[in-house]
């Protein structure tokens, strides 16, 4: 039987567009509610994932200081690309109309030579396609080809600081965004929409308000700020949740929020206080690594000490993996808040707390 309290909690968050049609976000919430309820009552998830992340490669042309690839065990994390044949045979059959497809992972997707063929296949399936990118490999030619996606999410970690942190000039990325906007205006297109991901840390937080101001002039649709994930002890002092950085973070978060409000820019800011977060990713989200590993969340794509792979598409079908014992154990542990998978124990998506999230370093 459906839990009415859960239904009320989910339903109040539903939103409608101007035509009275449920928004994509609202539909996703309904599907997540059904997935959780089916698991509670039947012990399995009766729905396919609403969002699928596809890692086309874990190779990257940059070396951002906050990236896990600087700290992972190279023997456990080999480099490679997803082949077009593997995508067609193993991944494409999972896709369905309306599914949110995120082309993302621990690499720069444009390094995969088959990216545009894969994007075409996703489009033909009727998926909502998001491309996450560092923005450094854009050319006039591939910008035109990328107009087929629904959203492009650029990682930009500052204005002047971007060069130091990521190894690419922020102005180069701004120019690419201007070129996309120019084509959209010329062809009267609504997509791709543009979003920015900003990894906030001590060395770049003062540039956040200025970057938000620039974003508003670039017609950015969504600006997301996230905390630094701590992969090494030398990153701890950079965290805005560190006691020495809290006041600094509060000040510049507030300035950025004020600018965003004045310019009607949607800005997402993470909490600074210790806060339990409810993770439901394994119920409606899945990630497929370049090598076929199936991961129930985005942060679990790589970890130096723990992995959270629940199967591999080279060895099992997706249907076999989607409700196997391991992923169902992870789902149950998140609902019961106990008996966690080792990776989930220190995941910042479960508990936003610096001391909690650095336990794996000890």
């Amino acid at each position: 039987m459906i839990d009415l309290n859960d239904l009320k909690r989910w339903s109040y968050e539903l939103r409608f567009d101007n035509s009275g049609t449920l928004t994509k976000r609202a539909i996703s919430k309904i599907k997540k509610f059904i997935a959780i309820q089916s698991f509670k009552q039947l012990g399995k998830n009766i729905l396919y994932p609403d969002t699928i992340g596809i890692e086309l490669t874990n190779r990257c042309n940059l070396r951002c200081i906050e990236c896990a690839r600087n700290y992972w065990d190279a023997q456990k994390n080999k480099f490679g690309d997803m082949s077009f044949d593997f995508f067609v045979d193993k991944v494409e059959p999972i896709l369905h109309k309306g599914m949110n497809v995120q082309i993302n992972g621990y690499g720069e997707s444009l390094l995969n030579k088959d990216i545009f063929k894969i994007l075409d296949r996703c489009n033909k399936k009727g998926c909502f396609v998001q491309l996450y990118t560092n923005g450094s490999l854009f050319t006039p030619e591939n910008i035109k080809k990328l107009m087929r996606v629904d959203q492009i999410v650029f990682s930009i970690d500052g204005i002047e600081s971007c060069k130091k942190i990521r190894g690419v000039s922020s102005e180069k990325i701004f120019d690419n965004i201007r070129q996309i906007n120019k084509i959209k205006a010329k062809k009267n297109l609504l997509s791709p929409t543009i979003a920015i991901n900003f990894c906030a840390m001590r060395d770049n937080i003062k540039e956040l308000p200025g970057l938000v101001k620039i974003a508003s002039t670039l017609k950015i649709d969504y600006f997301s700020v996230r905390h630094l994930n701590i992969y090494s002890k030398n990153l701890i002092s950079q965290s805005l949740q560190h006691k020495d950085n809290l006041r600094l973070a509060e000040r510049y978060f507030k300035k950025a929020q004020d600018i965003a409000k004045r310019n009607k820019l949607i800005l997402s800011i993470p909490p600074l206080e210790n806060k339990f977060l409810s993770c439901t990713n394994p119920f409606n989200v899945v990630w497929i690594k370049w090598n076929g590993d199936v991961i129930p969340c985005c942060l679990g794509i790589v970890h130096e000490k723990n992995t959270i792979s629940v199967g591999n598409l080279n060895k099992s079908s997706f249907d076999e993996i989607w409700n196997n014992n391991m992923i169902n154990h992870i789902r149950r542990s998140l609902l019961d808040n106990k008996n966690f998978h080792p990776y989930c124990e220190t995941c910042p998506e479960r508990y936003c707390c610096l001391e909690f999230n650095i336990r794996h370093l000890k």
Side-chain angles (χ1 to χ4, degrees), residues 309-326:
S309 172
V310 294
N312 187 289
L313 291 177
N314 289 302
K315 300 176 182 179
S316 306
S317 70
F318 183 78
D319 285 343
E320 291 171 328
I321 295 171
W322 186 234
N323 273 299
N324 68 17
N325 289 337
M326 186 173 182

Side-chain angles (χ1 to χ4, degrees), residues 138 143 146-147 152 154 175-185 191-194:
F138 281 43
I143 285 177
L146 289 173
M147 300 304 289
I152 301 176
F154 290 92
D175 282 341
N176 291 332
I177 295 174
R178 292 185 188 103
Q179 289 302 310
I180 293 170
N181 287 335
K182 186 177 180 180
I183 295 173
K184 286 170 64 178
S191 61
T193 58
I194 307 296

Side-chain angles (χ1 to χ4, degrees), residues 10 38 82 114-116 257 265 356:
W10 284 94
S38 73
M82 181 179 290
D114 295 319
I115 181 173
F116 298 111
Q257 287 171 320
L265 172 67
F356 182 85

Side-chain angles (χ1 to χ4, degrees), residues 31 39 341:
K31 289 181 178 178
F39 181 78
H341 184 282

Side-chain angles (χ1 to χ4, degrees), residues 35-96:
I36 292 174
Q37 288 299 320
S38 73
F39 181 78
K40 285 181 177 179
Q41 297 172 38
L42 303 174
K44 64 179 182 179
N45 191 345
I46 64 172
L47 296 184
Y48 256 30
D50 183 58
T51 296
I52 181 169
I54 303 174
E55 183 183 64
L56 296 187
T57 180
N58 64 347
R59 297 183 299 119
C60 191
N61 61 310
L62 301 183
R63 199 171 180 85
C64 308
I65 64 172
E66 77 270 28
C67 184
R69 65 195 312 110
N70 296 319
Y71 309 101
W72 70 31
D73 185 336
Q75 294 302 312
K76 296 179 181 178
N77 293 278
K78 301 293 185 181
F79 293 104
D81 295 358
M82 181 179 290
S83 72
F84 180 68
D85 288 342
F86 175 85
F87 173 83
V88 171
D89 293 342
K90 303 294 185 179
V91 181
E92 188 174 356
I94 307 169
L95 307 183
H96 57 77

Side-chain angles (χ1 to χ4, degrees), residues 116-362:
F116 298 111
K117 290 196 295 182
I118 290 173
L119 290 176
D120 276 339
R121 306 288 287 211
C122 293
N123 287 147
K124 289 176 181 177
K125 281 282 189 172
C127 300
F128 182 90
V129 182
Q130 295 174 292
L131 172 69
Y132 287 70
T133 176
N134 61 39
S136 65
L137 298 179
F138 281 43
T139 65
E141 181 180 351
N142 64 30
I143 285 177
K144 292 177 182 177
K145 293 180 180 179
L146 289 173
M147 300 304 289
R148 72 191 73 184
V149 305
D150 296 284
Q151 185 177 68
I152 301 176
V153 184
F154 290 92
S155 295
I156 308 177
D157 293 340
I159 304 173
E160 299 300 326
S161 297
C162 195
K163 182 72 173 179
K164 175 183 176 183
I165 294 171
R166 304 190 65 84
V168 61
S169 165
S170 61
E171 190 56 40
K172 180 177 182 178
I173 305 174
F174 298 154
D175 282 341
N176 291 332
I177 295 174
R178 292 185 188 103
Q179 289 302 310
I180 293 170
N181 287 335
K182 186 177 180 180
I183 295 173
K184 286 170 64 178
K186 184 178 180 180
K187 297 187 176 182
N188 197 27
L189 300 174
L190 296 177
S191 61
T193 58
I194 307 296
I196 287 176
N197 270 345
F198 177 87
C199 181
M201 61 189 84
R202 184 191 63 200
D203 283 355
N204 69 1
I205 187 60
K206 292 182 180 179
E207 295 183 13
L208 177 59
L211 185 57
V212 170
K213 189 173 183 179
I214 292 172
S216 66
T217 67
L218 292 174
K219 301 178 182 179
I220 301 300
D221 295 273
Y222 184 73
F223 194 118
S224 176
V225 179
R226 66 174 179 86
H227 282 306
L228 179 72
N229 288 331
I230 310 299
Y231 295 109
S232 174
K233 290 182 179 180
N234 69 300
L235 292 175
I236 294 175
S237 63
Q238 284 288 338
S239 173
L240 295 182
Q241 292 182 291
H242 191 285
K243 58 183 176 61
D244 293 340
N245 299 330
L246 284 172
R247 194 166 291 182
L248 181 73
E250 289 172 352
R251 184 186 318 142
Y252 285 96
F253 276 0
K254 178 65 167 59
K255 288 183 177 181
Q257 287 171 320
D258 290 343
I259 293 171
K261 186 176 181 179
R262 286 198 301 270
N263 291 280
K264 299 180 179 180
L265 172 67
I266 300 174
L267 174 67
S268 174
I269 297 284
L272 288 169
E273 72 278 8
N274 292 348
K275 184 177 181 180
F276 276 103
L277 305 171
S278 177
C279 175
T280 55
N281 281 335
F283 291 93
N284 70 327
V285 175
V286 72
W287 290 78
I288 300 175
K289 291 184 64 173
W290 68 272
N291 64 354
D293 281 345
V294 178
I295 315 293
C297 77
C298 61
L299 290 180
I301 292 178
V302 65
H303 194 280
E304 184 180 3
K305 298 180 180 177
N306 298 317
T307 62
I308 197 169
S309 172
V310 294
N312 187 289
L313 291 177
N314 289 302
K315 300 176 182 179
S316 306
S317 70
F318 183 78
D319 285 343
E320 291 171 328
I321 295 171
W322 186 234
N323 273 299
N324 68 17
N325 289 337
M326 186 173 182
I327 194 170
N328 281 339
H329 169 77
I330 293 170
R331 290 166 179 156
R332 175 56 61 190
S333 70
L334 292 171
L335 290 179
D336 295 344
N337 200 33
K338 62 181 181 181
N339 301 322
F340 295 107
H341 184 282
Y343 184 82
C344 301
E345 279 285 354
T346 56
C347 178
E349 291 297 307
R350 190 170 69 83
Y351 188 26
C352 186
C353 170
L354 178 61
E355 287 72 24
F356 182 85
N357 296 326
I358 64 174
R359 291 189 303 164
H360 66 281
L361 299 176
K362 297 178 182 179

